[in-house]
Amino acid sequence: MKEAVPEKEEVPKKVVKPEKKKRKERGATYMLTVIQKKIHGSRSTVAVNIRGQLIGPTVVELQSYVGILAHQSVPITIATWNKVPNELKNKIWEQILVVFDVDPIAKKRVMSSTTAKWKQFKSRLSTRHIIPFKNNLEMLRKPPSIYNFITQKEWEGFVVLRLSAKYLKMRKNATAWIRLKKSNHHLSRRGYMNKELDIQAESGITDEIERHEMQKIAHTKKNGEFENEVVREIDDLTKKRKEGAVTFSGAEDVLTVAISLEHPGHV
């Protein structure tokens, strides 16, 4: 497996009309601290909670490293993750253990994250480096220079796949679905578990925060505006429960009821 090297996102040059300032890209960065740890043989410990979920300050660092391995180790011409050889998947896990001390119980979650990042990378390549230039094949002759780990042969094969009628139709359907999606959360890469830890630390509580409360926190904008109707239902039901106007029991809780009110038949 190739050695991971630093990456920095780059978008091909294209003559366009002046547009509003774009959001700053986070990019896939290979942090200097990770490189140093690998060189010196030291490892960062990644904590795992009672649910087997990754938590703590080293999670973001781990996720960045996982992203680099996913991008540089797995060929983008492979159709699905299921078709990635097990030998290659095992090598990725071994590379992770060189830098991070991760409980084997969390392997499935870490590798699931690797899968997601690989898919996201292929999607980003398509969105930024192929689809905008599908009518200008000259711009697609070579892979983006910043991704020097993508071979010419691999790039050519990937371009063919992404410009196929089958993929373009699938992409059109997926784009239509995404536009209907209303549940973007606002927790950045720290995720639900680390946000829960932050809240527990700030409030001094140790009890698990109810899932409807985490849902509400995750889908509330900085200005206090709710992201969707489900969160509004959660807020309303929470107030009613506090006042004693409604009660919940068994599998029925605030979240399931809120979802069923917004989407009848889906709980």
Side-chain angles (χ1 to χ4, degrees), residues 161-203:
L161 290 172
R162 290 316 206 197
L163 293 183
S164 67
K166 180 180 179 181
Y167 174 77
L168 292 176
K169 180 179 180 180
M170 179 181 70
R171 177 184 173 82
K172 182 179 180 180
N173 293 337
T175 300
W177 181 86
I178 290 173
R179 285 173 180 167
L180 295 175
K181 188 180 177 186
K182 308 181 200 176
S183 300
N184 298 312
H185 75 67
H186 302 275
L187 300 180
S188 72
R189 287 189 294 174
R190 285 181 57 74
Y192 282 84
M193 294 306 103
N194 284 300
K195 182 62 177 179
E196 183 176 3
L197 288 176
D198 292 342
I199 296 173
Q200 290 172 330
E202 291 171 4
S203 60

Side-chain angles (χ1 to χ4, degrees), residues 64-106:
S64 292
Y65 185 53
V66 166
I68 294 298
L69 292 177
H71 299 174
Q72 300 188 13
S73 304
V74 186
I76 54 178
T77 49
I78 296 179
T80 66
W81 185 258
N82 289 336
K83 294 185 178 181
V84 176
N86 288 329
E87 181 182 1
L88 180 52
K89 294 177 183 178
N90 290 334
K91 285 183 178 179
I92 292 175
W93 175 244
E94 291 168 3
Q95 283 293 311
I96 292 171
L97 294 181
V98 169
V99 182
F100 296 93
D101 181 9
V102 187
D103 192 312
I105 196 175

Side-chain angles (χ1 to χ4, degrees), residues 233-249:
E233 292 291 352
I234 289 174
D235 185 63
D236 183 55
L237 289 170
T238 301
K239 291 176 181 177
K240 289 180 178 179
R241 185 178 69 167
K242 188 175 181 180
E243 296 168 353
V246 296
T247 59
F248 305 95
S249 62

Side-chain angles (χ1 to χ4, degrees), residues 1-10 27-30 64-77 117-118 120-122 124-125 129 142-156 158:
M1 185 171 67
K2 295 180 287 187
E3 187 73 10
V5 296
E7 293 180 21
K8 184 179 180 182
E9 182 59 67
E10 177 186 85
T29 57
Y30 188 107
S64 292
Y65 185 53
V66 166
I68 294 298
L69 292 177
H71 299 174
Q72 300 188 13
S73 304
V74 186
I76 54 178
T77 49
K117 293 181 186 304
W118 177 65
Q120 289 163 6
F121 179 55
K122 295 205 299 179
R124 188 162 72 245
L125 285 174
H129 302 281
K142 296 182 179 181
S145 59
I146 194 62
Y147 300 127
N148 56 13
F149 50 85
I150 299 178
T151 67
Q152 183 65 31
K153 182 178 180 180
E154 185 180 12
W155 175 251
E156 291 174 356
F158 187 65

Side-chain angles (χ1 to χ4, degrees), residues 13-57:
K13 293 182 179 179
K14 181 182 179 182
V15 179
V16 295
K17 296 179 181 180
E19 57 184 39
K20 61 182 179 179
K21 187 176 180 181
K22 294 182 179 180
R23 183 176 60 182
K24 185 177 180 180
E25 292 294 339
R26 180 183 294 128
T29 57
Y30 188 107
M31 295 167 291
L32 179 61
T33 53
V34 174
I35 299 175
Q36 292 174 333
K37 288 173 183 177
K38 191 169 184 180
I39 293 174
H40 298 295
S42 60
R43 299 198 298 168
S44 295
T45 299
V46 181
V48 180
N49 67 10
I50 57 175
R51 304 170 190 163
Q53 297 164 317
L54 302 169
I55 58 174

